[in-house]
């Protein structure tokens, strides 16, 4: 196959990847979009194999490893519960990162096959590109592993900080730049290995100070990194498909990080430089306990909702933890039988990754046209009879609008306090992730339902 | 004077960032999770590098150091490609519209 024809095929698969993302603009076109993505991938893989033209024993191994990886991937894809999607995505990011590192290593060790020069005499531009690809890939790998461990609960979700942390990161960052510079001068293999090793360390250090509820930003950011790593390798291999894809994924992740940060009214650097939970403990603890709280049981809640004409459901991470989405759908179905109008309100940072709540509701067969984003539904709270808050907390806290001292001041919130009554399903009065008390708990029109989200929802369904 | 091919690739790269920017902003927020899983899958097109590394190596020796890393990268990328596309498919199949008759 001529180099030109090959380049055209790569371009085609790059365009198909663009169409794959384009399809996601609405659920109707999304499935077709995914198909475009699959076709693009098949084209890229097939033409690469044909262009190398080696169908001997190496080809057999290639197919075997492809099947091994594919089987593992397929098995995971079908077995994974939807609540575990954030961990899965973090895990997948780590694989892209590590794959980028491995490809960079083979390009460094055997540059002839990629037309990059000879060992010890690699073209400077290629060396810079592969170093960047390897470094970003390595950071993505360890960073995603940490994110995975935190999301999975194997590692504590609370931020890990120590004195001089930012300084250390800065020193390591400068060291990385220095290593790339000297690598280009000396072509030394040891410098290349050190570069990868230090990038692994940087990846760990970058993610450990970030707390659990900031994970939506972290996952999006790592998504972005995995794209830039792919683009770096794409430049090394002079491969258009890889360059286009890397740029797409890189900007996609960056936009998601931006949307998530905006959802919390925090700057990107504020999130990256360390968690909330650690710093704001002192201001929050004083006022709880003393204030009176109205609490109720499932029958009270059922009575309120049955007599309502409209109910808005506000799901949060707690719903995912309790796996309450199916129970919730059942409750909504019986409400609808009673003639109640029900819709769902989703805050941009609800859950542990962008769109987390939407996937869980979709899994429970909630039609997506009943689910609304913050801007689209926030005005409806004023006309709604009952807001049913299940597993959300900070994203409903009116303090964000009233108290300039509060760490969440300025964060866009769902105006649940405007509805006639608020039902709060929560296990206790403990503050949410931001470590601040929710004013809403003590309001006249709030009824607290202290229980596990799933159990409470099931009980309400029974009494309906 | 000839233009370095690198400049062409850089142009593709920059323009793709802009394409990505506009395409991703038009993605509906309810599909942000599938967006992440599908970007994950497509970024595994890095497998083309791994294929070259493993197939184009020295034919006397199937497993030299460079090709071993190539094969490892193939496994990792394959997990991602199949896992990413399939899990996206699974998620997208769940998004349903309200039935008209209800």
């Amino acid at each position: 196959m001529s180099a030109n024809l090959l380049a055209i095929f790569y371009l085609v698969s790059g365009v198909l990847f663009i169409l794959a993302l384009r399809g996601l603009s609405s659920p109707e076109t999304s499935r077709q979009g995914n198909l475009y993505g699959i076709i693009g991938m098949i084209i890229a893989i097939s033409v690469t194999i044909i262009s190398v033209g080696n169908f001997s024993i190496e080809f057999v191994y290639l197919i075997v490893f492809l099947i091994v990886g594919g089987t593992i991937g397929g098995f995971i894809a079908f077995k994974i519960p939807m609540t575990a999607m954030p961990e899965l995505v973090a895990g997948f990011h780590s694989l892209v990162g590590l794959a980028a590192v491995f490809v960079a290593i083979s390009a460094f060790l055997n540059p002839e096959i990629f037309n990059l020069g000879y060992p010890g005499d690699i073209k400077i531009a290629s060396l810079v590109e592969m170093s960047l690809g390897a470094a970003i890939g390595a950071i993505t790998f360890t960073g995603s592993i940490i994110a995975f461990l935190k999301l999975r609960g194997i590692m504590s979700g609370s931020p890990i900080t120590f004195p001089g942390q930012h300084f250390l990161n800065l020193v390591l960052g400068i060291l990385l730049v220095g290593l790339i510079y000297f690598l280009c001068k000396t072509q030394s293999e040891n410098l290349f290995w050190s570069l990868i090793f230090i990038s692994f360390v940087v990846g760990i250090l970058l993610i450990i100070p970030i707390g659990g509820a900031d994970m939506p930003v972290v996952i999006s950011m790592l998504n972005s990194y995995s794209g830039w790593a792919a683009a770096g390798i794409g430049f090394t291999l002079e491969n258009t498909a890889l360059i286009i894809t890397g740029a797409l994924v890189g900007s996609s992740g960056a936009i998601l990080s931006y949307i998530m940060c905006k959802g919390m009214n925090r700057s990107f650097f504020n999130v990256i430089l360390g968690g909330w939970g650690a710093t704001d403990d002192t201001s929050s603890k004083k006022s709880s306990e003393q204030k009176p709280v109205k609490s109720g049981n499932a029958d009270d809640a059922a009575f309120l909702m049955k007599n309502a004409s409209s109910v808005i459901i506000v799901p949060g991470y707690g719903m995912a933890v309790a796996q309450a989405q199916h129970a919730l759908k059942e409750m909504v179905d019986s409400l609808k039988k009673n003639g109640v109008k029900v819709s769902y309100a989703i805050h941009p940072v609800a859950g542990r990754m962008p769109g987390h709540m939407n996937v869980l509701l979709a899994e429970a067969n909630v039609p997506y046209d009943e689910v609304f984003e913050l801007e689209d539904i926030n005005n409806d709270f004023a006309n709604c009879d009952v807001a049913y808050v299940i597993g959300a907390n900070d994203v409903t806290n009116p303090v964000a609008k009233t108290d300039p001292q509060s760490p969440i001041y300025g964060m866009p919130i769902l105006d649940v306090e405007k509805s006639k009554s608020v039902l709060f399903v929560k296990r206790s009065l403990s503050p949410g992730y931001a470590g601040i008390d929710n004013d809403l708990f003590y309001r006249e029109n709030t009824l607290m339902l202290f229980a596990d989200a799933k159990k409470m929802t099931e009980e309400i369904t029974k009494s309906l | 004077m000839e233009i370095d091919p690198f400049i062409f690739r850089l142009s593709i790269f920059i323009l793709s960032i802009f394409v990505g920017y506009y395409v991703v902003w038009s993605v509906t927020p309810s599909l942000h999770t599938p967006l992440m899983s599908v970007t994950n899958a497509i970024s595994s097109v890095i497998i083309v590098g791994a294929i070259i590394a493993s197939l184009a190596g020295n034919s006397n020796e199937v497993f030299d150091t460079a090709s071993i890393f190539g094969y490892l990268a193939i496994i990792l990328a394959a997990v991602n490609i199949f896992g990413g596309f399939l899990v996206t498919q699974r998620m997208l199949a769940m998004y349903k519209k309200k039935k008209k008759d209800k």
Side-chain angles (χ1 to χ4, degrees), chain A residues 73-408:
Chain A
F75 185 76
I76 297 172
F78 282 111
K79 284 284 164 198
I80 191 94
M82 285 298 145
T83 40
M85 207 45 76
E87 296 96 290
L88 178 75
V89 169
F92 278 169
H93 285 157
S94 74
L95 299 184
V96 179
L98 194 58
V101 174
F102 285 168
V103 173
I105 292 175
S106 16
F108 183 81
L109 294 178
N110 197 354
E112 290 120 312
I113 53 174
F114 297 99
N115 292 322
L116 306 176
Y118 302 93
D121 185 25
I122 302 173
K123 284 185 266 176
I124 297 298
S126 311
L127 209 50
V128 174
E129 291 154 2
M130 76 172 78
S131 308
L132 285 176
I136 301 172
I139 291 172
T140 312
F141 172 61
T142 49
S144 302
I145 295 279
I146 300 293
F148 175 83
L149 294 176
K150 286 194 172 197
L151 287 164
R152 191 85 222 170
I154 298 170
M155 204 173 135
S156 152
S158 53
I160 299 169
T161 48
F162 53 86
Q165 194 164 22
H166 302 323
F167 182 71
L168 179 64
N169 287 342
L170 185 70
V171 171
L172 289 177
I174 294 170
L175 190 61
L176 282 180
V177 177
L179 276 175
I180 295 180
Y181 177 76
F182 284 108
L183 179 65
C184 292
K185 284 195 104 167
T186 62
Q187 306 253 351
S188 147
E189 203 172 300
N190 288 336
L191 286 180
F192 187 70
W193 296 118
S194 329
L195 176 81
I196 291 173
F197 177 75
I198 291 174
S199 304
F200 279 144
V201 177
V202 170
I204 297 173
L205 289 173
L206 269 183
I207 308 301
I208 53 168
I210 306 177
D214 285 338
M215 280 303 147
V217 182
V218 171
I219 296 195
S220 317
M221 183 182 88
L222 292 167
N223 186 238
S224 181
Y225 285 3
S226 68
W228 304 130
I233 302 294
F235 274 104
T236 319
L237 308 185
E238 311 186 340
N239 183 308
T240 337
L242 206 40
I243 294 176
I244 295 177
T245 315
L248 287 178
V249 178
S251 54
S252 161
I255 290 171
L256 289 176
S257 319
Y258 171 78
I259 296 175
M260 294 301 113
C261 287
K262 213 170 128 233
M264 298 192 286
N265 189 39
R266 299 172 69 195
S267 76
F268 185 68
F269 288 102
N270 181 292
V271 176
I272 297 309
L273 292 181
W276 257 338
T279 44
D280 296 308
D281 273 352
T282 40
S283 61
S284 61
K285 281 187 181 144
K286 48 194 180 200
S287 59
S288 22
E289 312 279 327
Q290 298 108 328
K291 286 187 264 177
V293 168
K294 278 204 294 184
S295 76
N297 59 26
D299 293 332
D300 303 332
F303 178 78
L304 263 175
M305 286 199 276
K306 200 158 38 176
N307 293 308
S309 66
S310 66
V311 170
I312 298 180
I313 311 235
V314 181
Y317 181 56
M319 182 188 81
V321 175
Q323 309 240 8
Q325 66 272 29
H326 298 283
L328 185 68
K329 170 71 159 80
E330 268 175 48
M331 184 187 90
V332 169
D333 284 344
S334 12
L335 280 175
K336 280 188 188 157
K337 266 181 218 143
N338 284 299
V340 184
K341 184 177 166 283
V342 186
S343 35
Y344 300 79
I346 307 218
H347 192 276
V349 294
R352 286 291 186 265
M353 74 183 294
H356 191 184
M357 292 298 123
N358 302 80
V359 170
L360 293 183
L361 292 177
E363 188 199 10
N365 279 322
V366 172
Y368 61 83
D369 39 7
E370 286 177 11
V371 183
F372 298 93
E373 304 300 317
L374 181 127
E375 312 89 76
D376 300 326
I377 200 168
N378 229 1
N379 293 329
D380 297 355
F381 281 107
N383 309 316
C384 119
D385 296 307
V386 179
Y388 186 73
V389 184
I390 173 165
N393 184 0
D394 292 331
V395 298
T396 63
N397 196 340
V399 155
K401 287 187 289 193
T402 53
D403 179 10
Q405 302 298 318
S406 166
I408 61 168

Side-chain angles (χ1 to χ4, degrees), chain A residues 17-18 21-22 24-27 30-31 34 37-38 41 44-45 48-49 52 54 57-59 61-62 65-66 69-70 73-74 77-78 80 82 85 88-89 92-93 95-96 98-100 102-103 105-106 110 113-114 129 219-220 223 231 233 235 237-240 242-245 247-249 251-252 255-256 258-259 353-356 358-359 362-363 365 367-370 373, chain B residues 6 9-10 12-14 16-67 69-99 102:
Chain A
F17 291 152
I18 295 175
L21 299 194
R22 182 77 188 92
L24 290 171
S25 58
S26 101
S30 62
R31 285 173 276 266
N34 200 39
I38 294 172
M41 187 61 74
I45 292 177
T48 310
I49 292 175
V52 179
N54 175 357
I57 185 74
E58 282 95 345
F59 178 70
Y61 281 114
L62 174 110
F65 289 128
L66 210 54
F78 282 111
I80 191 94
M82 285 298 145
M85 207 45 76
L88 178 75
V89 169
F92 278 169
H93 285 157
L95 299 184
V96 179
L98 194 58
F102 285 168
V103 173
I105 292 175
S106 16
N110 197 354
I113 53 174
F114 297 99
E129 291 154 2
I219 296 195
S220 317
N223 186 238
I233 302 294
F235 274 104
L237 308 185
E238 311 186 340
N239 183 308
T240 337
L242 206 40
I243 294 176
I244 295 177
T245 315
L248 287 178
V249 178
S251 54
S252 161
I255 290 171
L256 289 176
Y258 171 78
I259 296 175
M353 74 183 294
H356 191 184
N358 302 80
V359 170
E363 188 199 10
N365 279 322
Y368 61 83
D369 39 7
E370 286 177 11
E373 304 300 317
Chain B
F6 171 79
R9 287 190 285 275
L10 188 67
I12 294 172
F13 179 64
I14 304 285
S16 303
I17 291 178
F18 279 91
V19 171
Y21 179 85
Y22 288 107
V23 169
V24 171
W25 270 115
S26 74
V27 170
T28 164
S30 66
L31 292 176
H32 276 163
T33 298
L35 171 67
M36 302 202 86
S37 60
V38 84
T39 49
N40 223 316
I42 64 173
S43 56
S44 303
V45 73
I46 201 158
I47 197 171
V48 300
I51 292 173
I52 299 172
S54 53
L55 288 190
N58 185 349
S59 51
N60 303 325
E61 207 179 343
V62 179
F63 291 107
D64 58 2
T65 331
S67 71
F69 279 110
Y71 284 123
L72 287 175
I74 285 178
I75 299 180
L76 297 176
V79 172
N80 241 326
I81 291 171
F82 284 82
F85 279 125
L86 288 173
V87 87
T88 310
Q89 194 71 30
R90 201 179 133 205
M91 275 192 273
L92 293 177
M94 298 184 316
Y95 282 82
K96 290 185 193 87
K97 228 179 174 157
K98 204 170 358 189
K99 283 195 195 97
K102 267 190 178 173

